[in-house]
């Protein structure tokens, strides 16, 4: 399971770089809708291959709607709009805040105190993000806040998902399906519903990394959240900003910023220290 989580984080990091590149030519809500809709079909196929029944109880509908709202619709909408306003490297660094939000939510709602090692990891992560901002909070803009809000929705949704007693792949399918309906409504309201105008190479990347990859990521992290503590899952989720940062430098050709590099080193140090408790 640990290696699958690492692979999921690698795909996630690659996914952010790809989405950032494609967002320059399509609406964030339109890309989010098609990505989630296609990912729903992948989750459906996985469920059928695993011979999992997709039937659910009546009392599970509302919790699944809430999961679809926060895990998919709000998460994608906020993150895609925020990513449009930021560089890929900046997006990577802010995604590193995920374990900070997870620890905060665990403390507030479950009274679960983080270990000393996790506290050190959180402090180093916050310091790393602060360093990436050139030690100037005035550099925070709307894109940063939208991205932070999306991470909070995503982290909270995984804690909430633990209360829904359904197999992970079925949970993934319904979260994606219901989230796609919500995103469809937004596109219809905005009058922006249409097909994605990509060339063949872009379609192959989009379907391979963003669609198949995202369905895989959701499934693995839901599976992991049932077999490991959220602190451990959070650790593996936080590997993705490292992959995103490297990908943004290599494939988006963004300039190397030594403040951001220092921030990544601090975040990586925090990860390694936190790993002692995972």
């Amino acid at each position: 399971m640990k290696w699958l989580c690492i692979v999921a984080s690698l795909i996630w990091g690659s996914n952010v770089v790809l989405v950032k590149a494609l967002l320059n030519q399509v609406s964030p809500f339109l890309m989010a809708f098609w990505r989630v809709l296609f990912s729903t079909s992948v989750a459906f196929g996985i469920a059928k291959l695993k011979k999992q029944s997709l039937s659910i109880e009546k009392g599970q509908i509302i919790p699944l709607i809430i999961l679809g709202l926060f895990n998919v619709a709000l998460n994608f909408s906020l993150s895609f709009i925020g990513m449009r306003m930021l560089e890929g490297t900046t997006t990577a660094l802010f995604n590193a805040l995920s374990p900070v939000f997870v620890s905060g939510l665990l403390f507030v709602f479950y009274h679960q105190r983080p270990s000393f090692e996790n506290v050190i990891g959180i402090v180093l992560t916050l310091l790393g993000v602060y360093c990436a901002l050139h030690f100037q909070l005035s550099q925070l803009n709307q894109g940063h806040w939208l991205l932070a809000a999306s991470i909070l929705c995503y982290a909270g949704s995984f804690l909430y998902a633990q209360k829904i007693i359904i197999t992970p792949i079925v949970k993934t399918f319904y979260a994606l399906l219901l989230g796609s309906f919500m995103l469809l409504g937004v596109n219809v309201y905005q009058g922006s519903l249409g097909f994605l105008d990509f060339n063949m190479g872009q379609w192959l990347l989009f379907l391979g990394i963003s669609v198949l990859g995202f369905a895989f990521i959701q499934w693995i992290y839901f599976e992991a959240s049932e077999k490991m503590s959220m602190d451990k899952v959070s650790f593996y989720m936080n590997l993705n900003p490292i992959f995103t940062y490297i990908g943004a430098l290599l494939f988006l050709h963004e300039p190397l910023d030594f403040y951001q590099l220092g921030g990544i080193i601090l975040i990586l140090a925090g990860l390694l220290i936190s790993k002692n408790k995972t």
Side-chain angles (χ1 to χ4, degrees):
M1 180 54 67
K2 291 180 179 180
W3 283 108
L4 285 175
C5 286
I6 292 173
V7 172
S9 290
L10 173 60
I11 295 172
W12 191 353
S14 304
N15 198 6
V16 172
V17 174
L18 174 64
V19 169
K20 172 63 181 173
L22 296 179
L23 276 173
N24 293 326
Q25 59 193 82
V26 297
S27 158
F29 291 110
L30 185 62
M31 178 180 283
F33 167 67
W34 285 111
R35 178 186 178 187
V36 174
L37 183 64
F38 288 143
S39 296
T40 303
S41 65
V42 174
F44 178 82
I46 294 173
K48 289 303 180 182
L49 286 174
K50 292 173 66 69
K51 298 182 179 179
Q52 292 277 354
S53 170
L54 293 176
S55 61
I56 56 173
E57 298 177 5
K58 188 175 180 180
Q60 295 171 327
I61 296 175
I62 297 300
L64 285 169
I65 290 174
I66 295 173
L67 183 63
L69 173 64
F70 286 93
N71 184 260
V72 178
L74 284 176
N75 169 41
F76 273 98
S77 299
L78 294 169
S79 64
F80 279 16
I81 295 172
M83 284 168 62
R84 251 190 166 181
M85 303 177 182
L86 303 171
E87 293 182 339
T89 49
T90 304
T91 300
L93 287 156
F94 250 68
N95 279 338
L97 290 173
S98 178
V100 177
F101 286 125
V102 169
S103 295
L105 291 169
L106 285 172
F107 179 75
V108 171
F109 293 104
Y110 296 90
H111 308 292
Q112 183 176 323
R113 295 179 179 272
S115 66
F116 176 75
E117 289 83 357
N118 284 339
V119 170
I120 297 298
I122 289 170
V123 170
L124 287 174
T125 297
L126 291 173
L127 185 58
V129 173
Y130 186 41
C131 176
L133 293 170
H134 294 216
F135 300 105
Q136 296 179 20
L137 292 180
S138 60
Q139 289 200 8
L140 289 172
N141 59 34
Q142 187 181 12
H144 292 106
W145 293 114
L146 288 172
L147 199 58
S150 76
I151 297 167
L152 180 60
C153 288
Y154 197 66
S157 71
F158 272 98
L159 293 178
Y160 181 77
Q162 292 180 309
K163 298 181 178 181
I164 305 175
I165 311 302
I166 310 176
T167 56
I169 187 57
V170 177
K171 197 182 300 183
T172 299
F173 169 74
Y174 280 104
L176 292 169
L177 178 65
L178 294 168
S180 70
F181 289 156
M182 298 173 199
L183 291 168
L184 173 62
V186 173
N187 280 285
V188 170
Y189 175 78
Q190 288 191 333
S192 60
L193 186 63
F195 210 57
L196 298 173
D197 186 19
F198 293 157
N199 60 40
M200 182 60 71
Q202 289 171 328
W203 265 113
L204 290 174
L205 287 172
F206 179 73
L207 292 174
I209 297 177
S210 197
V211 174
L212 290 171
F214 180 68
F216 175 78
I217 290 166
Q218 289 285 86
W219 173 33
I220 291 301
Y221 281 141
F222 277 140
E223 189 91 40
S225 67
E226 295 189 359
K227 296 181 179 179
M228 300 188 290
S229 70
M230 277 307 298
D231 277 341
K232 290 182 179 180
V233 177
S234 177
F235 166 78
Y236 290 108
M237 287 171 66
N238 207 30
L239 291 174
N240 89 80
I242 309 298
F243 297 127
T244 302
Y245 185 80
I246 296 171
L249 292 176
L250 293 177
F251 301 109
L252 297 180
H253 306 294
E254 295 182 0
L256 178 64
D257 183 313
F258 287 101
Y259 284 97
Q260 290 183 343
L261 181 59
I264 281 290
I265 291 172
L266 287 169
I267 291 168
L268 184 57
L271 276 174
L272 293 174
I273 292 172
S274 297
K275 190 177 184 298
N276 292 329
K277 276 296 181 180
T278 61

